[in-house]
Amino acid sequence: MRFDDVFVAGCGSWLPPSMSVTDAIAEGLCEPALAAALDMASVTIAEEEPAPEMAARAARVALARAGCAPSEVDLLLHASFYYQGQDLWAPASYVHRAAVGNSCPAIQIGQVSNGGMVSLELAASYLLARPGRGTALLTTGDRFCPPGFDRWHSDTGTLYADGGTALVLSRSRGFARLRSVATVGRSELEGMHRGAEPFGPAPFSYRKVVEMDVYKDAFVAEAGRSFAVSQASSGQREAIERALADADAELDGIDWFVLPHLGRKRLSAGYFGKLGVHPGQTTWPWSRTVGHLGAGDQFAGLEHLVRTGAAGPGSRCLLIGVGAGFSWSGAVVDILERPEWAEGS
């Protein structure tokens, strides 16, 4: 969908201290062969901070940078990947109470790793749907910790990181313009993260730790690898092509590619080669020091490019997301000005 009058007014993140992969190897948390395949430098790890609280901290940063009072927020969408710390609970309402506090809707978004990108499209559409709606706050937050998740081994092609991110959309002002967002689904692949076990009566009924490689292997054994690869490739291609077309943009006109924070092997196969882009044109040099923030990679990546001055006035960015289910999203964002919170401003 094309958006001509929706702006990015602020963005922010709250990331805990990082652990180097070298230290993780020394402590026996990560094997050298796995570290070599990932090519990650470090990962952010929260000691005690719950996921929704990290999201709320990021939200307060983003609102302050946007110059937006909490009372101005018309919608809050909170996206997450993993357990939010309580059962039968609405974490979006916690983020709302901690960072906003007015009477606007606070809604939880799923779609795992693509949740932030999906919320971008939903929020922009919400703002345009009725006159008078001016601002939306989008947040993400995750903590990938034991006993249910092993950040080093639960998904061996990706190193999972803890942290919160946030982005503020506005109808009236911003340092960047949201030109388009497109999302494509391929539910034929939903079983890739479900596995072969029957539905259980409670979380972790069959396994004590998330093991995504086991689920994927079971799906591929039944559906076939070529089917899975073709569906994934077509879904990603369609989302990117639609986002570019809606923004009247071309791939060779993109200055920066904001990619999921995957390991080097997955990025090389799924993005660098397919898109024909050099890693230096992407957020990879930085994301390899952070890790996969669940639904928040794109918000954090855009913030990093703008904060460091890498993406300045005139830069065109393509944000790309993918999440189990499966869904893919692409968004074109044009940087209009250097915000006051950018380095060197």
Side-chain angles (χ1 to χ4, degrees):
M1 183 173 180
R2 182 184 182 95
F3 300 103
D4 289 322
D5 296 307
V6 178
F7 301 90
V8 180
C11 50
S13 62
W14 192 91
L15 304 179
S18 61
M19 167 185 274
S20 73
V21 173
T22 300
D23 288 344
I25 293 173
E27 294 185 21
L29 298 172
C30 180
E31 299 76 24
L34 175 59
L38 291 168
D39 194 25
M40 299 288 292
S42 56
V43 59
T44 57
I45 301 177
E47 292 297 327
E48 298 180 352
E49 297 85 0
E53 176 57 29
M54 290 188 284
R57 295 179 187 185
R60 290 190 287 268
V61 171
L63 287 171
R65 288 175 172 176
C68 177
S71 59
E72 298 179 56
V73 177
D74 297 298
L75 173 71
L76 184 145
L77 299 181
H78 175 65
S80 62
F81 183 119
Y82 188 56
Y83 187 62
Q84 295 290 284
Q86 297 287 346
D87 302 316
L88 297 176
W89 177 61
S93 296
Y94 176 95
V95 179
H96 178 275
R97 182 189 61 77
V100 180
N102 63 13
S103 59
C104 79
I107 301 171
Q108 183 75 15
I109 302 295
Q111 297 311 115
V112 285
S113 293
N114 205 32
M117 291 291 286
V118 169
S119 71
L120 190 65
E121 183 167 12
L122 294 176
S125 300
Y126 182 90
L127 292 179
L128 292 171
R130 178 179 294 178
R133 292 174 178 170
T135 305
L137 173 62
L138 317 179
T139 68
T140 78
D142 269 299
R143 184 186 180 203
F144 299 98
C145 59
F149 203 100
D150 180 350
R151 73 179 73 249
W152 310 96
H153 300 104
S154 280
D155 185 10
T156 53
T158 303
L159 184 52
Y160 285 74
D162 304 335
T165 75
L167 184 144
V168 178
L169 289 183
S170 171
R171 290 294 313 280
S172 61
R173 66 188 188 277
F175 67 86
R177 185 189 300 272
L178 178 64
R179 300 304 303 270
S180 68
V181 188
T183 298
V184 172
R186 291 284 190 275
S187 59
E188 298 91 334
L189 300 178
E190 63 82 18
M192 191 176 292
H193 283 70
R194 174 165 47 86
E197 289 90 353
F199 288 96
F204 297 99
S205 295
Y206 300 106
R207 296 181 183 277
K208 299 302 182 184
V209 180
V210 172
E211 294 181 286
M212 281 184 265
D213 291 342
V214 174
Y215 313 148
K216 293 173 187 176
D217 290 345
F219 178 82
V220 169
E222 179 177 347
R225 184 171 298 278
S226 61
F227 171 79
V229 171
S230 65
Q231 289 291 312
S233 296
S234 67
Q236 175 181 286
R237 182 174 60 253
E238 184 179 345
I240 292 174
E241 289 177 352
R242 281 174 48 187
L244 291 171
D246 288 347
D248 294 325
E250 300 289 341
L251 193 65
D252 59 7
I254 299 299
D255 299 295
W256 289 101
F257 295 82
V258 182
L259 303 179
H261 296 186
L262 310 178
R264 178 64 179 254
K265 185 176 180 180
R266 284 184 173 173
L267 284 177
S268 296
Y271 298 90
F272 301 155
K274 287 184 178 180
L275 299 178
V277 300
H278 187 276
Q281 294 175 265
T282 76
T283 44
W284 161 250
W286 173 74
S287 72
R288 68 185 296 268
T289 70
V290 177
H292 182 41
L293 292 164
D297 291 347
Q298 294 75 23
F299 296 172
L302 179 64
E303 180 209 16
H304 168 75
L305 291 177
V306 174
R307 179 179 54 80
T308 60
S315 294
R316 173 161 282 183
C317 304
L318 177 62
L319 283 60
I320 303 175
V322 58
F326 258 72
S327 70
W328 295 261
S329 294
V332 177
V333 175
D334 289 341
I335 308 301
L336 304 177
E337 61 186 44
R338 185 186 299 273
E340 293 181 356
W341 47 269
E343 296 174 4
S345 295

